[in-house]
Amino acid sequence: MTDRAFPPMQADALTTLTAWLDFYRVTLVGKCEGLTDEQLRSASVPPSSLTLLGLVQHLAAVERNWFRQVLGGADVPPLYPREPGTGHDGGFEPGDAGIAGARAVWEDEVAHARRVVAATGPDGTGTLDGHAVSVTWVLTHVIAEYARHTGHADLVRERIDGATGV
């Protein structure tokens, strides 16, 4: 698996939060390593249609929504249609793109997110539904998204080939 840097145990809040987010980003990539596009499109367990490819796409949409739109204030369209009635950022259903395309989009959103956080700084804010939201809140929320979904990814990966762990 891709090497993961464990977050520092003594650092300022922004460094700690971004390190934890990067930890989970690398975890997601690791869960997809060594699998074919077909395996990455393999649904978990019925009735769920959750796939590793869908998780990569969804987390790219999460990155875009929270960092480009909410924190950065950019007027950009969502990457994928929102899931009707759920409020989800979409992307769960694998489209025509394979992992190479989905990962390129995800990597672009991650790089942009890092630039937005660096420009915003530890005291920065964005806007969510007309309310100010802090960079700390956004980072904490996105970390929770990744933690939840990398847990899902671990179970999906185990079902595909038995691989478990970090």
Side-chain angles (χ1 to χ4, degrees), residues 85-156:
T86 67
H88 291 290
D89 292 310
F92 283 114
E93 295 301 321
D96 295 333
I99 189 61
R103 184 159 171 190
V105 169
W106 175 80
E107 287 173 352
D108 182 57
E109 293 302 327
V110 167
H112 193 88
R114 288 183 176 128
R115 290 190 300 272
V116 168
V117 169
T120 303
D123 298 321
T125 60
T127 304
L128 176 63
D129 296 329
H131 301 282
V133 59
S134 72
V135 67
T136 300
W137 193 96
V138 170
L139 285 165
T140 302
H141 177 76
V142 175
I143 289 166
E145 280 275 329
Y146 269 89
R148 176 175 40 257
H149 291 314
T150 56
H152 296 142
D154 194 41
L155 295 172
V156 174

Side-chain angles (χ1 to χ4, degrees), residues 25 57-80 82 89 105-106 108-110 112-113 116 142 146:
R25 286 168 171 156
Q57 291 179 161
H58 172 69
L59 287 165
V62 166
E63 296 266 0
R64 174 174 280 216
N65 178 44
W66 288 102
F67 295 109
R68 278 192 200 252
Q69 296 172 326
V70 172
L71 203 52
D75 184 19
V76 294
L79 287 172
Y80 308 100
R82 289 200 175 264
D89 292 310
V105 169
W106 175 80
D108 182 57
E109 293 302 327
V110 167
H112 193 88
V116 168
V142 175
Y146 269 89

